Amino acid sequence: MAADWLGSLVSINCGVTLGVYQGEVSSVDQVSQTISLRQPFHNGVKCPVPEVTFSAMDIKELKILDIRNGGSQVGVADSGCYGRNGRGGVSGAPAGSAPVAVPRKGELRSQEGLSSPQQCSKSYGERHLEAPGQTKGFRRRHNSWSSSSRGPSQATPKKNGLKNGGGAMKNKDDECFGDGMDEGLDKDFDFEGNLALFDKAAVFSEIDTSERRGNGVRSRGTPGERTPSRYRHDENILEAKPIVYRQITVPQHSGKEYCTDSGLVVPSVSYELHKRLLAVAERQGLTLERRLEMTGVCASQMALTLLGGPNRLTPKNVHQRPAVALLCGPHVQGAQGLSCGRHLANHEVEVILFLPNFVKMLEAITNELTLFSKTGGKQVSSVKDLPDTPVDLVINCLDCHENAFLRDQPWYRAAADWANQNRAPVLSIDPPVSGQEQAVEAKWSLSLGLPLPLAESAGRVYLCDIGVPRQVFQEVGIKYHSPFGCKFVIPLHST
C-alpha cells in the first residue's frame, strides 16, 4: 500500500531546528520507518540535493498537499495524514490515513483506487471523512487559492451535516480557505533572464534628456514628451498675459513707495492729496461716521491678531484677558481710536482709555465716547491712573495731522512718556507724515486708503481699506486698482 503514495506532494514539519520541507514522495520504507522526497524545498527555498530522506523520529507533522494515484490526481487540503502512528513510527500506507476528495479547478473528482475511509487527527480537531465516491466540503485557506479560482460551472460544495470536533460545521467556513496548490515547487523564477529584458541604459538616457529640457526638474510625464512650463503652487497656470505690478499711479510723486506681499506697488501720497480724497469721498456719501466705523473694525482686527488671535482669545482663557491701553486726543484720530477700543471691548479685551477732560470736543468724539461707555471699558483722564505694569498693547492716537501745538500740552508729554516707558509694543493709527517727528516710537503703523510717506520711527506700515470707491480715486487724479485682494488690512514693505 505504500506505493499508492508515490508521486504525491507532501509537507513535512521537522520542528524549529530542522524546519519545514516540501516535495514529491519518491519512496516509503515501512521497515526502516523512513520517507524520501524528490526535488525538495526547505523553508520555501529549493534544496541543492535532488532527494532528502526523513526518519519517523524527526517528523513532527506531515501534511499531504497533492495525491497522485496512477493517472488521476486527488487534492487534499491540510489533511495531515502522515503523522505518527500508535507505535511512534510513520504510517507509510493509507491504512494510517485516508485522503479526502475535494473539488479542484472547476470539477469535483472522486476518490478512485483508494482504501476504505479512515480518519486523520489534527491539532484543531478531528476531521470526519466520507466513503469513496462521495465529495466532502473542506476548510478553505485564505492564503491559498481564492474562491475565484473555481470554474464558472462549479458550485461551492455543501456540508453534509457531519460533526467537526463535536460542533456543527457552518457554511461560512467554506469561504474562509482556498484550494491547494496546482503547480509543483520544482521551478524557480528566472530573475536574471527577466532583468535582461529591461534596457536600463536606454531608459535612463531618456530620463536625463527630459530633465535637461525641464531645466533640471524631472517631468512627471513620459520621458519622450515635451516638458511643459513649471509653476509654483501659488501661481496661476491659466495666465494669459503678463502681470502689471504698478496698478496704482498718482498725479505727483511724494518720494516714497511701498509694495505688497504679492509685489504690487503702492505709492504714497501727500497729506494734501489724501485730505482732498477724503473730502471727495464724503461728498459722494462716505461720511466721517462711516469712515470711523470702517477704521475701527480694521484696526481692532489687526490689534486682535497682534494680541494672539485664536491662540489667546478662547473661552478657556477667560482668566488671562489681554489688556490694551488706548491713548486718544481731541481730534479725528482720537475718534478713530475710540471706535477701535469699542470693538476690542466687545471682543472681551480689557481696554483702558486715556482721554483728558477737554472743554470742547468734536461731535464725532462725543458720539464714540458714548458708545464706548456702553461696553464696560475703563476711562481715565490722568496719566497717573494708567496701569503701572506693562500692558499687552498700546494703541497711540495722540497725534494729529494738522494741529502740531498739542505736543506742547502737559497731558500729551505725560502720555507720550508713559507709552515710551511702558514695555508694551505700540500700534499707531493714522500717524502723521514724516515731516513731523513722532513723540511715541511705534512698532506698527496703520494707514488709511493710501499710505503717507511715514518716517522710520513709524515701524512696519500696514494699510487698511476704508471703503473709498474707485471713481473717487479717479476724480482726484489717481489711477487706482485695489491691492487688498481678499483682505481689509495688508502689510506694506518699503522699496
Side-chain angles (χ1 to χ4, degrees):
M1 300 296 294
D4 294 338
W5 302 102
L6 298 180
S8 301
L9 296 178
V10 298
S11 175
I12 299 177
N13 186 0
C14 298
V16 180
T17 305
L18 298 179
V20 180
Y21 289 81
Q22 295 93 15
E24 180 180 349
V25 178
S26 59
S27 65
V28 178
D29 192 344
Q30 293 181 333
V31 178
S32 60
Q33 294 289 297
T34 60
I35 182 172
S36 299
L37 300 183
R38 182 188 301 115
Q39 298 178 352
F41 279 75
H42 179 221
N43 294 332
V45 180
K46 188 174 183 180
C47 298
V49 295
E51 190 174 57
V52 179
T53 302
F54 301 91
S55 175
M57 301 301 296
D58 298 330
I59 299 176
K60 303 297 182 183
E61 184 182 13
L62 190 147
K63 298 180 182 179
I64 299 177
L65 304 177
D66 199 357
I67 299 177
R68 298 172 182 171
N69 187 10
S72 63
Q73 178 174 332
V74 183
V76 176
D78 228 5
S79 64
C81 294
Y82 269 115
R84 295 184 180 275
N85 57 17
R87 301 184 303 275
V90 176
S91 177
S97 59
V100 182
V102 296
R104 293 187 54 79
K105 306 277 289 189
E107 62 179 2
L108 297 174
R109 300 187 179 182
S110 62
Q111 302 180 7
E112 298 178 358
L114 299 180
S115 59
S116 60
Q118 302 291 336
Q119 292 182 354
C120 301
S121 62
K122 287 187 63 63
S123 59
Y124 56 80
E126 183 177 0
R127 185 182 303 279
H128 291 263
L129 309 177
E130 300 179 1
Q134 294 181 348
T135 60
K136 174 74 170 92
F138 63 95
R139 294 180 179 268
R140 298 182 174 273
R141 289 198 176 276
H142 182 69
N143 57 353
S144 301
W145 293 93
S146 62
S147 59
S148 61
S149 63
R150 297 192 299 265
S153 62
Q154 176 185 348
T156 304
K158 302 297 182 180
K159 297 290 179 182
N160 57 359
L162 297 178
K163 303 294 183 179
N164 183 17
M169 300 181 66
K170 300 179 181 179
N171 293 333
K172 65 180 181 179
D173 293 339
D174 291 339
E175 300 300 331
C176 294
F177 301 93
D179 298 342
M181 299 176 61
D182 288 337
E183 302 171 354
L185 304 177
D186 56 349
K187 185 177 180 180
D188 291 337
F189 180 75
D190 189 3
F191 289 95
E192 295 183 359
N194 186 67
L195 185 60
L197 301 177
F198 175 66
D199 192 353
K200 184 167 61 175
V203 173
F204 276 98
S205 177
E206 293 181 1
I207 294 176
D208 293 339
T209 304
S210 175
E211 289 182 352
R212 284 193 296 270
R213 285 200 299 263
N215 296 326
V217 181
R218 179 169 295 183
S219 174
R220 292 187 179 182
T222 309
E225 294 179 356
R226 181 179 179 182
T227 305
S229 301
R230 302 291 170 175
Y231 296 94
R232 297 196 312 269
H233 66 280
D234 58 344
E235 291 182 325
N236 185 9
I237 63 174
L238 300 178
E239 189 175 296
K241 55 184 178 180
I243 301 176
V244 178
Y245 289 99
R246 188 174 294 274
Q247 301 178 358
I248 302 175
T249 58
V250 294
Q252 57 183 6
H253 192 267
S254 61
K256 196 168 187 178
E257 287 185 338
Y258 301 90
C259 67
T260 64
D261 290 338
S262 57
L264 297 178
V265 178
V266 180
S268 62
V269 295
S270 61
Y271 174 70
E272 290 75 14
L273 181 59
H274 189 270
K275 183 178 179 180
R276 186 152 53 97
L277 175 66
L278 296 182
V280 174
E282 187 167 1
R283 203 166 54 243
Q284 297 291 341
L286 189 62
T287 60
L288 176 61
E289 290 75 13
R290 290 190 174 188
R291 298 201 307 270
L292 290 177
E293 190 68 18
M294 196 67 183
T295 304
V297 170
C298 293
S300 62
Q301 182 63 58
M302 181 178 175
L304 291 173
T305 303
L306 297 177
L307 292 172
N311 296 324
R312 184 163 185 190
L313 297 170
T314 60
K316 297 181 180 180
N317 199 26
V318 293
H319 63 288
Q320 292 181 338
R321 293 174 55 188
V324 174
L326 180 61
L327 309 179
C328 296
H331 37 65
V332 176
Q333 281 71 26
Q336 293 171 352
L338 285 171
S339 177
C340 174
R342 170 167 54 89
H343 290 289
L344 290 177
N346 289 336
H347 285 265
E348 303 298 328
V349 177
E350 184 179 352
V351 180
I352 302 98
L353 169 64
F354 170 76
L355 181 65
N357 293 325
F358 299 101
V359 177
K360 184 178 180 181
M361 290 189 296
L362 295 177
E363 183 181 359
I365 294 180
T366 305
N367 296 335
E368 290 293 337
L369 188 60
T370 303
L371 291 175
F372 176 80
S373 62
K374 307 298 181 181
T375 62
K378 182 180 179 182
Q379 179 184 355
V380 297
S381 58
S382 175
V383 177
K384 298 179 181 179
D385 297 330
L386 289 173
D388 297 331
T389 57
V391 294
D392 294 279
L393 181 66
V394 175
I395 299 180
N396 177 27
C397 297
L398 296 173
D399 296 302
C400 178
H401 293 287
E402 298 177 350
N403 190 359
F405 298 101
L406 291 176
R407 300 185 179 187
D408 299 331
Q409 300 293 327
W411 62 267
Y412 182 94
R413 292 196 302 268
D417 293 340
W418 179 90
N420 291 327
Q421 293 175 4
N422 195 287
R423 289 175 290 181
V426 178
L427 167 64
S428 294
I429 299 178
D430 195 14
V433 296
S434 58
Q436 304 178 14
E437 183 181 356
Q438 297 184 13
V440 180
E441 186 174 355
K443 188 174 183 179
W444 307 282
S445 293
L446 183 63
S447 296
L448 311 180
L450 285 177
L452 300 175
L454 301 179
E456 296 296 332
S457 59
R460 187 172 183 181
V461 181
Y462 284 77
L463 186 66
C464 79
D465 184 9
I466 57 175
V468 179
R470 181 184 298 183
Q471 188 174 356
V472 175
F473 284 99
Q474 295 176 355
E475 190 171 342
V476 295
I478 299 177
K479 180 183 178 183
Y480 181 81
H481 185 81
S482 175
F484 293 97
C486 62
K487 300 179 180 179
F488 283 88
V489 179
I490 58 175
L492 296 180
H493 311 278
S494 298
T495 58

